[in-house]
């Protein structure tokens, strides 16, 4: 078994490679991770017949210190941790399938999601709509410690930007989370495909959408939400109400108008 510690991001846990998953330390609890296999995500890839690692990523939802579980349930919040395999999926980088969040019954919104990169380099790709015209499309290039906020209702995918280093990240989510894949799969993926040329990502438009522009940029400071540079979980410990806009997006409705990631 090989593992590496991730103590710098507010929770004492380690990432495990064989088998893929996490080791929880001290007072941290979490589920046995769900494994997403290559066969499961093929419908969202540019080349569904590509070769790549059999186990593409491991996802553990509701990771937290024991003392916080009641508070998180009360606030309908959930902290998830994900780790990717290294390598590539044919000529594409290792990545998630691309999805939209299911509308939560308790809020009536398709919830936002707030990412924090822990290890490796990532591109958080997002687009406004899964329709003929995808709207605005962004590729946010992020490194360890960076935070990226996906607004309500946007389709998105998390991409490993370095085939040699496994990507690990965490995210604040709505506790009533759900992933909708069908609309993305019907269009053979999102509006832009990430491709690896050598070790660098380039982009190719998906012909199942109208032509669009891709804005490639870096994370910004989300001062309007009071988010700081501190690890996300530690920010919750300091101020449990800080991330209430994740499970109650309507409380920040004015901030989502013309939102720029």
């Amino acid at each position: 078994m090989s593992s590496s510690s991730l103590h710098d991001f507010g929770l004492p846990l380690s990432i495990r490679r064989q088998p893929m998953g996490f080791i929880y330390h001290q007072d941290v609890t979490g589920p046995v991770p769900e494994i997403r296999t290559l066969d499961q995500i093929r419908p969202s890839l540019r080349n569904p017949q590509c070769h790549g690692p059999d186990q593409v990523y491991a996802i553990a939802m509701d990771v937290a210190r024991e003392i916080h579980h009641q508070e998180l349930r009360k606030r309908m919040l959930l902290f998830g941790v994900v780790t990717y395999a290294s390598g590539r999926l044919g000529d594409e980088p290792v990545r998630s399938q691309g999805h939209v969040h299911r509308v939560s019954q308790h809020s009536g919104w398709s919830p936002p999601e707030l990412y924090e990169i822990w290890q490796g380099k990532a591109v958080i790709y997002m687009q406004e709509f899964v329709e003929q015209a995808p709207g605005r499309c962004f590729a946010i290039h992020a490194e360890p410690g960076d935070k990226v906020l996906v607004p309500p209702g946007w389709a998105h995918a998390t991409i490993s930007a370095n085939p040699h280093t496994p990507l690990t990240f965490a995210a604040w989510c709505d506790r009533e989370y759900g992933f909708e894949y069908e609309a993305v799969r019907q269009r053979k993926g999102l509006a832009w495909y990430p491709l690896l040329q050598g070790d660098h990502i380039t982009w190719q438009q998906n012909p199942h959408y109208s032509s669009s522009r891709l804005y490639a940029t870096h994370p910004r400071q989300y001062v309007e939400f009071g988010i700081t540079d501190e690890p996300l979980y530690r920010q919750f410990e300091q101020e449990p109400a800080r991330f209430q806009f994740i499970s109650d997006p309507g409380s920040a409705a004015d901030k989502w108008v013309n939102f720029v990631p």
Side-chain angles (χ1 to χ4, degrees), residues 87 89 95 103 106 154 196 200 202 204 209 222 233-234 252:
L89 306 174
R95 63 179 181 84
V103 173
H106 70 88
W154 287 42
L196 279 170
H200 302 285
T202 61
Q204 182 181 90
Y209 293 83
Y222 301 105
Y233 196 90
R234 196 167 294 144

Side-chain angles (χ1 to χ4, degrees), residues 50-205:
C50 72
H51 296 286
D54 290 335
Q55 295 189 348
V56 180
Y57 57 96
I59 178 170
M61 302 299 275
D62 204 10
V63 176
R65 295 185 185 276
E66 291 182 8
I67 58 172
H68 294 143
H69 278 293
Q70 184 175 352
E71 185 76 19
L72 290 168
R73 285 192 291 269
K74 180 182 77 172
R75 295 186 177 278
M76 291 301 288
L77 286 171
L78 179 148
F79 197 67
V81 185
V82 183
T83 191
Y84 284 11
S86 58
R88 58 184 67 212
L89 306 174
D91 58 1
E92 296 181 72
V94 173
R95 63 179 181 84
S96 62
Q97 300 173 70
H99 61 260
V100 179
H101 292 156
R102 186 178 306 136
V103 173
S104 292
Q105 292 185 354
H106 70 88
S107 74
W109 287 68
S110 168
E113 187 169 8
L114 178 58
Y115 288 89
E116 179 176 61
I117 308 307
W118 282 6
Q119 187 179 68
K121 294 184 178 182
V123 178
I124 310 298
Y125 170 86
M126 62 187 87
Q127 64 188 56
E128 284 186 275
F129 312 111
V130 188
E131 299 172 4
Q132 186 66 38
R136 292 177 295 155
C137 304
F138 291 88
I140 314 294
H141 291 255
E143 299 189 1
D146 286 340
K147 286 82 169 162
V148 179
L149 180 57
V150 177
W154 287 42
H156 52 285
T158 310
I159 300 156
S160 177
N162 184 339
H164 306 292
T165 303
L167 172 65
T168 302
F169 60 92
W172 280 115
C173 311
D174 188 306
R175 179 162 286 273
E176 195 186 305
Y177 74 96
F179 304 139
E180 294 186 347
Y181 299 111
E182 191 55 37
V184 174
R185 289 173 177 172
Q186 286 178 357
R187 293 189 178 275
K188 310 299 182 186
L190 295 166
W192 289 85
Y193 292 120
L195 302 178
L196 279 170
Q197 289 191 349
D199 293 341
H200 302 285
I201 289 180
T202 61
W203 298 90
Q204 182 181 90
Q205 289 198 57

